[in-house]
Amino acid sequence: MPLNSKSSKWLYIIIVLILCGAAIGMWYFKQGKKPALASFREAQVNYTAHEGIMGTRTTLTLPDSTEILLNGNSTLLVPDNYAQTHVLLLDGEAWISTKHAIKLVTNILTITNTAPVSFRIRCFEAQQGATAYLGSGTIQVAKSYHSTTDNQAETLGIGNMVLANKEIDLMEKETYQPAELDHWLKGELAFSKVPFMNAMHTLEEWYGTEIYVDGDVSGLPVVDGSFPNQSLEKVLQSMQKSMSFSYHFKGDRVKLKVK
């Protein structure tokens, strides 16, 4: 039944109100969203934010020659007084190599050193877990928050790592295979007859993102191949040549649908 002019007018008003309400809601959402590591920022200090691009890695060199490999969906905050304090804030994942004594702060772990060092740290503010792997030198790793059970720092040497979980107030020193860290650092991503979902979990870890899979993966073949220093999108495009799925990037996540 065609709408009369009065009905059309009311329909138009309702649509306008809905759109206005959505716009206002989005504005309030953005206003209420806190900046990364807000509680760890110093008052009266300005920070330069370096943002990692989704599905890729970004290389940075700070004025003091500190080198940083920043993973996707990660934010490195460099204060204006960095030359004096040598303090960095990180929300996400990065590899850091420095000749200087620095202090790297995340919401779960704080890392310090007194001599040249390199390490990998993964700690997203939206998650409860964190890991730190030593590449070279020696670092001290401590909780960034006050613990009611243990506030002692751990000293890491070659082959050492730390696992932490803020929800259960846990920080443990472990060992790992340095070759695994070396592959990650060099971007030597490779699969050999790996089940599809296992490969997706590896990609999540490798690129610091979340991949949501919709559909039945039982019919998909195992994943084979090497993808040296490729972006996540390039890897998925290569996999599509032998597998039937579609995907799209949505914010800091990947939505994948098996056909």
Side-chain angles (χ1 to χ4, degrees):
M1 180 182 294
L3 295 173
N4 57 39
S5 59
K6 187 174 182 180
S7 298
S8 298
K9 181 179 179 181
W10 277 110
L11 179 60
Y12 174 78
I13 292 174
I14 291 171
I15 293 174
V16 170
L17 289 174
I18 291 173
L19 292 175
C20 288
I24 293 171
M26 183 60 69
W27 184 86
Y28 274 108
F29 172 78
K30 290 182 178 180
Q31 296 300 311
K33 187 177 180 180
K34 292 183 179 180
L37 299 171
S39 61
F40 292 90
R41 301 191 188 201
E42 290 185 48
Q44 310 305 318
V45 173
N46 294 318
Y47 291 83
T48 299
H50 298 275
E51 304 282 352
I53 300 172
M54 167 69 170
T56 63
R57 300 176 183 180
T58 303
T59 301
L60 307 171
T61 302
L62 301 184
D64 67 352
S65 77
T66 293
E67 297 180 352
I68 297 170
L69 182 65
L70 190 65
N71 209 349
N73 302 325
S74 302
T75 301
L76 179 75
L77 298 172
V78 182
D80 288 351
N81 61 358
Y82 174 72
Q84 293 75 43
T85 65
H86 292 283
V87 174
L88 298 169
L89 305 184
L90 174 70
D91 176 21
E93 183 173 31
W95 165 269
I96 298 178
S97 179
T98 183
K99 300 176 181 178
H100 308 281
I102 67 171
K103 180 179 182 181
L104 179 78
V105 180
T106 69
N107 71 309
I108 297 177
L109 298 176
T110 294
I111 295 177
T112 56
N113 66 290
T114 57
V117 72
S118 60
F119 60 91
R120 175 187 176 187
I121 171 72
R122 179 187 179 97
C123 186
F124 288 89
E125 195 170 17
Q127 300 175 6
Q128 293 295 327
T131 54
Y133 302 80
L134 182 69
S136 64
T138 302
I139 58 175
Q140 291 72 48
V141 185
K143 296 175 182 175
S144 299
Y145 60 94
H146 177 73
S147 170
T148 58
T149 59
D150 181 16
N151 289 291
Q152 296 299 311
E154 292 281 4
T155 299
L156 302 192
I158 300 301
N160 289 150
M161 67 171 293
V162 156
L163 294 170
N165 188 297
K166 187 176 181 180
E167 187 174 22
I168 59 176
D169 192 19
L170 172 71
M171 186 178 80
E172 290 188 350
K173 180 178 177 179
E174 303 284 351
T175 59
Y176 76 97
Q177 294 297 324
E180 296 178 6
L181 178 59
D182 192 52
H183 288 317
W184 180 86
L185 180 60
K186 293 179 179 178
E188 297 173 342
L189 176 64
F191 298 103
S192 177
K193 301 187 186 311
V194 176
F196 182 79
M197 288 305 300
N198 290 10
M200 293 302 103
H201 293 322
T202 297
L203 293 180
E204 288 181 316
E205 173 72 18
W206 198 270
Y207 293 100
T209 188
E210 294 179 336
I211 300 176
Y212 292 87
V213 178
D214 181 24
D216 183 8
V217 301
S218 61
L220 295 179
V222 294
V223 181
D224 273 305
S226 59
F227 310 92
N229 293 305
Q230 294 187 19
S231 68
L232 176 56
E233 185 159 25
K234 289 289 187 181
V235 174
L236 292 175
Q237 287 175 352
S238 296
M239 289 183 177
Q240 278 185 317
K241 295 177 182 178
S242 59
M243 299 181 182
S244 182
F245 66 82
S246 61
Y247 70 89
H248 68 277
F249 291 85
K250 186 174 183 179
D252 58 355
R253 302 174 180 180
V254 179
K255 302 284 188 178
L256 188 149
K257 184 175 180 59
V258 179
K259 297 180 180 178

